[in-house]
Amino acid sequence: MVFNFFKDGNELFDEAQELIRQKEYTKACKKLRSAIDKESEDSNLARVMIDFIEVGQSLNDANRYRELSVALQNIDGTFDFGLSTFDVRELRDECDAMAMAIDARNAYTDSNASMIMKGERLIEAAKNLQLKVGNRTLMINEYFNTSTLSGTRLSIALMAEGNETIADGTFWNDPKKAAEYQQIAYNFRRQLGESGEYNKRKIKEYTMTCTCWICGRQATGEGLHFYRMSADVSPEHVKAEEGELAPSTEPGSPMIFVCKACYTSISRRADAIAKEYHERSLAEIAEARRHMMAEIARLDSRITSLSMRIRN
């Protein structure tokens, strides 16, 4: 066996190529690092290959894509990896676009404003992906996943996600505008060959308008601005609301519509009552436990007294 410290950088680089062809990527990375340490003539390419492998092992890590893009600046033209040949410029464009897309998808949201901002980032990432990659197959994804996902298809998916996210952030202030964003998302989902059932359901919920059974105010946007509540609704009730612009009940169902203000006030009052009963029950249990422990102590004392009398 010939150990690595007896080999020069070029020999180690050549051995790494063979390991890559065998898909022994962990071993290949070790050889490539040793080749760099021994100043191989292909040190820049070795760095690119290490970063390429690390991206393939972490396809959802934006930083890995950025690191590969930086490494690619040091080489020109094309490079061979295993049995494949990659165009450096196209691969850099793909890395930059994918890093942007992953960052947009992973953006944290904690408010309506941040959801809208995330949606806008997703749409911007989709446009960038279409511009830089277009109809080309995503090379890294194809090599490691044997998937033929194109830049255009991923771009369409990001456009759908972006509009759905903006819709979620818009719903609180403008349900009808949110429905428009869901309609746009639906069109993109259909381009992907999906049913778009989620979007259609959301459009229906966002545009539905009711009259609150309790306060009589109108509200648009089921699931946020008004809710359904179970109730006993007689035929007379249904007849009384005929002709109203927005219904107060769901036809053929024992459900009434209640606006968010009435719904939350009822819920909070119910919670307060439940808490009051809970605290009262705990107090009564504690009092009963004190009485029980006192009785046990009294009986224990009585038993001790009787035992002493019997022994005497």
Side-chain angles (χ1 to χ4, degrees), residues 43-264:
S43 290
N44 287 337
L45 184 54
R47 180 72 262 169
V48 166
M49 290 180 169
I50 292 171
D51 289 340
F52 188 87
I53 291 169
E54 289 180 343
V55 171
Q57 294 172 338
S58 305
L59 288 169
N60 291 316
D61 189 334
N63 288 329
R64 294 295 190 192
Y65 283 97
R66 277 190 282 267
E67 289 167 1
L68 176 56
S69 180
V70 171
L72 286 166
Q73 293 176 14
N74 298 317
I75 62 173
D76 297 312
T78 62
F79 75 94
D80 294 329
F81 188 89
L83 301 176
S84 301
T85 300
F86 295 93
D87 181 278
V88 171
R89 184 188 60 79
E90 290 182 354
L91 192 57
R92 279 201 69 196
D93 285 344
E94 179 178 321
C95 287
D96 295 339
M98 287 302 296
M100 184 177 179
I102 293 168
D103 281 341
R105 274 180 161 171
N106 293 338
Y108 176 73
T109 59
D110 59 0
S111 65
N112 291 326
S114 62
M115 279 192 284
I116 293 173
M117 188 178 298
K118 178 176 180 176
E120 291 171 345
R121 287 184 63 181
L122 285 164
I123 291 172
E124 192 63 31
K127 293 177 180 177
N128 185 58
L129 189 65
Q130 180 60 36
L131 177 66
K132 290 194 170 185
V133 181
N135 290 324
R136 295 197 307 270
T137 299
L138 295 170
M139 294 179 281
I140 301 174
N141 188 70
E142 181 183 29
Y143 186 88
F144 288 100
N145 273 359
T146 63
S147 167
T148 56
L149 178 65
S150 70
T152 297
R153 186 170 180 82
L154 180 55
S155 175
I156 294 171
L158 291 170
M159 289 294 288
E161 292 173 26
N163 280 282
E164 288 164 355
T165 306
I166 294 175
D168 290 340
T170 305
F171 186 30
W172 173 252
N173 291 317
D174 193 340
K176 291 184 178 179
K177 187 68 176 177
E180 293 176 12
Y181 283 113
Q182 287 289 357
Q183 181 63 55
I184 295 171
Y186 169 79
N187 294 336
F188 283 117
R189 292 293 180 192
R190 294 296 293 160
Q191 287 183 49
L192 293 171
E194 301 176 8
S195 66
E197 286 300 320
Y198 168 83
N199 307 106
K200 288 194 291 185
R201 176 168 59 83
K202 285 297 181 182
I203 291 168
K204 181 179 178 181
E205 291 174 358
Y206 289 178
T207 55
M208 184 173 179
T209 298
C210 81
T211 299
C212 177
W213 180 273
I214 296 172
C215 70
R217 291 183 175 87
Q218 287 194 357
T220 300
E222 184 179 0
L224 182 61
H225 296 291
F226 75 87
Y227 304 90
R228 299 167 189 255
M229 295 181 69
S230 177
D232 292 330
V233 181
S234 72
E236 285 299 313
H237 288 145
V238 176
K239 187 183 298 183
E241 72 167 359
E242 288 180 357
E244 288 186 0
L245 294 177
S248 297
T249 60
E250 183 177 33
S253 171
M255 305 293 286
I256 59 173
F257 299 135
V258 180
C259 74
K260 186 178 182 69
C262 292
Y263 180 87
T264 52

Side-chain angles (χ1 to χ4, degrees), residues 4 6-18 21 31-46 49:
N4 284 348
F6 292 129
K7 300 176 182 179
D8 63 25
N10 294 331
E11 289 177 301
L12 291 168
F13 181 82
D14 291 339
E15 290 181 2
Q17 305 319 298
E18 182 58 33
R21 283 189 284 271
K31 292 278 188 182
L32 290 167
R33 289 190 176 93
S34 296
I36 294 171
D37 292 339
K38 292 200 173 185
E39 299 181 347
S40 165
E41 295 174 359
D42 296 300
S43 290
N44 287 337
L45 184 54
M49 290 180 169

Side-chain angles (χ1 to χ4, degrees), residues 286-305:
E287 183 64 23
R289 185 175 183 277
R290 283 194 293 271
H291 284 303
M292 181 180 68
M293 295 304 293
E295 184 64 18
I296 290 172
R298 188 185 68 78
L299 291 172
D300 188 51
S301 176
R302 180 64 175 164
I303 291 169
T304 302
S305 176

